[in-house]
Amino acid sequence: MYRHLEQRLAQSIARFLAESYPGTSLPRVVIEQPPKVELGDFAIPTFPFAKPLRTAPLKIAEAIRAGIGSVEGIAELQVAPPGYLNVKIDRSWMAAALVADRRPSVDTKAGKVLVEHTSINPNKAAHIGHLRNAVLGDTFVRLLRYAGREVDVQNYIDNTGVQVADVVVGFTHIEKKSRAEIEALIQQPRFDYYCWDLYARVSQWYEQDKANLQARRDTLHAIEDPASETAAIAELISTAVLRRHLETMDRLDIEYDFLPRESEILHLHFWDAAFSKLKEAGVLTYETEGKNKGCWVMRRAGTALNTGDTENTGEGQLISEEDQKVIVRSNGTVGYVGKDIAYHMWKFGLLGRDFGYRKFYRYPNQHQCWISAMEGEKDHPHFGDVAEIYNVIDARQSEAQNTVIEALRGLGHNEAADRYTHFSYEMVALTPRCAAELGYTLSEEDKTRSYIEVSGRKGFGVKADDLLDQLIVSAKSEVDSRHLQLTDAERLSIATQIATGALRYFMLKFTKQSVIAFDFKEALSFEGETGPYAQYSVVRAVSIFKKAGIDPDMFSKEIAGEASPGKFAEFLAGESGTEIWELWLAAAKTSYIVDQCIATTEPAYLAKHAFQLAQLFNTFYHRHPILSEPDEKRKQFLLATVAVVRRELIRTLAVMGITVPPVM
């Protein structure tokens, strides 16, 4: 309701100004939140209107207050120097709307949204850095769906790249294993762990003798031939590792709809179709001299066209050597960015080609995940041809992402380029304490660092499953000490909810551009800004109803049917009422915060919302002895407060992918 009321207020002010000053071009109405609830619930600065209206901000604020008329849900407008309009919500009106769980329909954008996330190279086990990508992407999917958008979730699989080639080299050149022997290994548990260690060994092998790198080059070339034995081995390995990735992510309730693979982008000639269009539009140019001789290149994003330093055979575009981005190498192989351009053209329905589709993985909840194929099944969902794209990929890929956007613009698809968002984020590291707990030997210098970087090539890192396992073990020891009356299976289930909630919250509470230093103790703490703290607040709310012998869901339904603006008015007035009103106001902001997260592609705001709501609720809990309240009407009001906060916390945590255990 907070979001709806904000929009209604903005529309009323905009309408008043348009009617009062016809023919004047005015900026949009901006609504801010005052620093203290005592000042009001909305604050509207009138400074942006001063210049076009040639009127002092304070006079504009006074005119709006005097002329806007009544707005349902608004109790009072106050003018404050030097030009603010402070607005107070009708508390009893808002309380009644919240209790009744009124959620007015809102206009949502048309068209399907595609969110691509995780996109792990299928060459070894997933690690902690991949978890940040997956949790950010999955949460953004949940945000969009909460806001009413239709979303497709895709996980791009680079099964023909260098990383897969390196593991193939490890099996065929270092371990000298046959295809049959590799197939036998795949049947063993956690084959992805085996590949993790092998991948590190391959990196060491390359360092021992640079001539060994020829094996990588030969393997990369062979993988692109679908009829080769090398391609068959790469398919075996990458598919087995991919299944393990899906199992790992499913532990965090992260699912995908479609897994497009690079091999099909090549073999179904997506790149050939894109290549023709890019050459025809002059986006790509062929270099005849210099370090990139024999390559097809395009201008790096953010660089200007040169006027005469470099000769080429393109459509008159001259690109200086340092500004060239190689798309097709001189040996004819296409780089990652080229294939990504073709893939994104398909996403927007601009390529004129499609994948074959076959069923690949069915989740325990029966959700079906599809994978690309040369020839697929006839009956399949429609993928691609979307209205918007969000690509969750780390900040190091910014140049590649910008190149894709520039290619779309060069092809004349400016609208598509505008609807493509690189959802970037920074890396995940470990605190020295966390690294030590995971068994890594640290130097004295390491122990003084704020964080320890991980490296898959060096074999130093935290496998996602190991991290989850360790978190569950730590959480279970805490649950065991508190709830011995429960069965071991029940305690394990609770510990798993706490552990996964702790991990997801930790990955979300930092803004995307922050480097995360993961720490077990901090993530699992029942105090402070953590997942367990938010979960415990819900458990505490439920316990209040349990002690009263009341079912919280039934209570919520009953008070919803009796909701009226006058029911709780007396309890929201005065100084004591203002303190509780702050909690109700925070509970009203869930949809508002969701919109803010989507507009800024920043899920951290939702984590802050959950923490603030939990913090305010715990303060309320300690100050007000609810069940011993002698005034029955006030007791019902306090219980209604608990019910509303419980509901909004559960909703907020659900959007974050966090469930709440029955006890903590």
Side-chain angles (χ1 to χ4, degrees):
M1 286 304 297
Y2 183 89
R3 174 184 62 168
H4 178 71
L5 190 55
E6 180 198 51
Q7 291 172 345
R8 182 190 296 167
L9 179 62
Q11 289 167 1
S12 297
I13 293 172
R15 185 165 52 249
F16 166 76
L17 291 173
E19 291 172 354
S20 301
Y21 304 94
T24 305
S25 178
L26 296 173
R28 70 181 184 87
V29 177
V30 174
I31 298 184
E32 300 173 352
Q33 297 182 46
K36 296 181 181 179
V37 72
E38 292 83 359
L39 296 175
D41 306 306
F42 298 118
I44 302 162
T46 59
F47 313 107
F49 305 112
K51 188 174 181 180
L53 297 182
R54 298 180 181 180
T55 306
L58 198 60
K59 288 189 176 182
I60 296 172
E62 289 170 346
I64 293 172
R65 182 183 63 79
I68 191 175
S70 64
V71 178
E72 185 184 16
I74 300 300
E76 186 180 359
L77 289 84
Q78 298 174 337
V79 174
Y84 278 95
L85 200 61
N86 290 335
V87 182
K88 294 189 175 182
I89 292 172
D90 184 333
R91 295 178 179 182
S92 58
W93 178 89
M94 177 67 84
L98 269 175
V99 165
D101 196 18
R102 293 188 202 125
R103 289 187 284 174
S105 59
V106 294
D107 293 332
T108 56
K109 291 183 181 178
K112 187 161 55 174
V113 183
L114 190 159
V115 178
E116 179 195 335
H117 67 80
T118 308
S119 303
I120 311 172
N121 291 312
N123 69 318
K124 65 181 189 303
H127 60 62
I128 188 170
H130 299 135
L131 289 180
R132 187 176 196 188
N133 183 307
V135 170
L136 281 170
D138 180 66
T139 302
F140 199 69
V141 169
R142 293 168 185 265
L143 284 161
L144 289 165
R145 286 175 175 162
Y146 185 92
R149 299 300 302 272
E150 181 186 1
V151 187
D152 266 358
V153 186
Q154 297 191 10
N155 178 359
Y156 180 80
I157 311 302
D158 182 0
N159 61 337
T160 66
V162 171
Q163 288 78 9
V164 170
D166 284 348
V167 176
V168 173
V169 167
F171 278 114
T172 58
H173 287 71
I174 297 177
E175 297 197 333
K176 310 290 185 183
K177 291 193 183 297
S178 67
R179 180 173 171 182
E181 288 173 319
I182 297 170
E183 286 178 332
L185 271 176
I186 286 170
Q187 303 308 313
Q188 297 180 10
R190 293 195 166 178
F191 172 69
D192 53 337
Y193 277 41
Y194 187 100
C195 292
W196 175 287
D197 296 333
L198 181 59
Y199 183 62
R201 286 169 54 200
V202 172
S203 296
Q204 294 167 2
W205 187 63
Y206 290 152
E207 290 174 3
Q208 290 166 6
D209 186 349
K210 296 301 180 186
N212 291 336
L213 285 166
Q214 186 60 44
R216 171 194 276 175
R217 291 188 283 270
D218 293 342
T219 301
L220 270 172
H221 187 73
I223 283 176
E224 293 193 2
D225 177 7
S228 72
E229 179 71 3
T230 302
I233 290 173
E235 167 80 3
L236 272 174
I237 295 168
S238 62
T239 301
V241 173
L242 174 57
R243 285 190 181 276
R244 282 291 301 120
H245 289 169
L246 297 191
E247 290 166 356
T248 298
M249 296 306 164
D250 191 36
R251 297 180 69 184
L252 288 165
D253 197 22
I254 296 172
E255 299 178 351
Y256 312 94
D257 300 315
F258 178 49
L259 310 171
R261 297 188 298 182
E262 192 169 277
S263 54
E264 275 72 51
I265 287 177
L266 287 170
H267 303 150
L268 291 171
H269 306 293
F270 277 33
W271 168 245
D272 293 341
F275 193 25
S276 296
K277 292 177 184 289
L278 291 164
K279 287 187 292 185
E280 184 180 346
V283 176
L284 294 183
T285 58
Y286 184 75
E287 285 299 303
T288 58
E289 57 184 46
K291 69 175 183 179
N292 294 327
K293 181 179 179 180
C295 300
W296 285 92
V297 304
M298 66 175 283
R299 179 169 53 87
R300 288 184 184 276
T303 61
L305 290 179
N306 203 316
T307 56
D309 293 338
T310 303
E311 294 296 328
N312 57 59
T313 58
E315 297 297 319
Q317 290 190 6
L318 301 175
I319 312 170
S320 63
E321 199 169 82
E322 62 270 19
D323 292 340
Q324 293 172 3
K325 176 68 177 177
V326 174
I327 303 301
V328 182
R329 305 179 188 96
S330 58
N331 64 2
T333 59
V334 58
Y336 160 75
V337 175
K339 287 172 277 193
D340 211 29
I341 292 169
Y343 173 40
H344 282 85
M345 290 173 68
W346 167 81
K347 285 181 179 180
F348 279 121
L350 304 173
L351 197 62
R353 293 177 184 268
D354 200 2
F355 294 103
Y357 301 91
R358 60 181 174 83
K359 295 173 182 174
F360 181 72
Y361 187 88
R362 187 174 289 277
Y363 291 95
N365 65 3
Q366 302 307 304
H367 176 70
Q368 181 65 58
C369 178
W370 295 75
I371 196 167
S372 62
M374 293 295 289
E375 293 183 7
E377 302 174 34
K378 289 183 178 180
D379 297 324
H380 61 81
H382 178 67
F383 297 108
D385 194 19
V386 298
E388 296 176 60
I389 295 170
Y390 292 89
N391 193 4
V392 184
I393 190 166
D394 73 54
R396 292 170 295 183
Q397 298 297 320
S398 292
E399 182 186 328
Q401 293 297 296
N402 289 334
T403 300
V404 173
I405 292 171
E406 287 304 310
L408 290 170
R409 294 197 189 283
L411 290 166
H413 303 301
N414 287 311
E415 188 178 347
D418 290 340
R419 290 184 277 111
Y420 176 66
T421 301
H422 173 203
F423 189 119
S424 68
Y425 64 93
E426 283 293 345
M427 70 173 184
V428 182
L430 306 174
T431 63
R433 178 173 63 186
C434 183
E437 287 175 350
L438 287 162
Y440 291 104
T441 302
L442 304 180
S443 67
E444 289 303 313
E445 184 184 354
D446 286 336
K447 293 175 183 177
T448 63
R449 293 179 178 175
S450 56
Y451 60 82
I452 308 293
E453 291 187 40
V454 298
S455 171
R457 284 195 176 275
K458 295 177 181 177
F460 180 78
V462 182
K463 301 179 188 73
D465 281 309
D466 284 351
L467 179 63
L468 278 165
D469 291 343
Q470 184 66 38
L471 282 167
I472 292 169
V473 167
S474 299
K476 190 169 184 296
S477 67
E478 189 71 28
V479 176
D480 287 346
S481 68
R482 298 180 183 211
H483 301 288
L484 281 173
Q485 78 282 6
L486 300 176
T487 66
D488 190 65
E490 289 171 329
R491 295 198 302 273
L492 178 59
S493 175
I494 292 166
T496 301
Q497 286 179 283
I498 293 171
T500 54
L503 178 58
R504 289 191 68 123
Y505 193 98
F506 197 92
M507 292 294 181
L508 291 168
K509 74 174 183 176
F510 299 95
T511 56
K512 297 177 302 175
Q513 302 312 319
S514 303
V515 174
I516 293 179
F518 188 83
D519 186 85
F520 283 112
K521 187 175 181 180
E522 183 183 348
L524 282 169
S525 174
F526 279 44
E527 298 297 329
E529 193 175 353
T530 66
Y533 178 72
Q535 289 172 314
Y536 186 67
S537 299
V538 179
V539 171
R540 173 172 273 173
V542 172
S543 71
I544 294 170
F545 287 103
K546 282 184 178 178
K547 289 176 182 176
I550 301 171
D551 179 273
D553 292 320
M554 287 302 298
F555 178 82
S556 296
K557 288 180 182 178
E558 289 170 4
I559 62 169
E562 301 169 358
S564 63
K567 189 173 179 64
F568 301 134
E570 62 180 292
F571 306 117
L572 289 168
E575 189 175 332
S576 62
T578 294
E579 172 221 317
I580 297 177
W581 166 246
E582 192 171 0
L583 176 57
W584 281 78
L585 186 63
K589 292 182 179 179
T590 303
S591 293
Y592 170 84
I593 299 295
V594 166
D595 281 356
Q596 188 180 33
C597 291
I598 294 171
T600 59
T601 61
E602 184 52 89
Y605 296 135
L606 194 65
K608 299 293 182 189
H609 174 61
F611 176 59
Q612 181 192 24
L613 198 49
Q615 204 172 31
L616 288 169
F617 173 72
N618 286 316
T619 300
F620 163 82
Y621 172 85
H622 288 296
R623 287 183 181 174
H624 301 279
I626 300 165
L627 298 182
S628 60
E629 170 60 50
D631 183 333
E632 186 58 31
K633 284 187 177 180
R634 180 171 174 79
K635 181 178 178 179
Q636 289 298 305
F637 164 70
L638 295 175
L639 284 170
T641 303
V642 176
V644 166
V645 173
R646 168 185 169 269
R647 182 192 70 209
E648 294 306 314
L649 261 177
I650 289 173
R651 280 179 179 163
T652 300
L653 291 173
V655 177
M656 295 171 69
I658 299 172
T659 58
V660 179
V663 296
M664 294 284 284

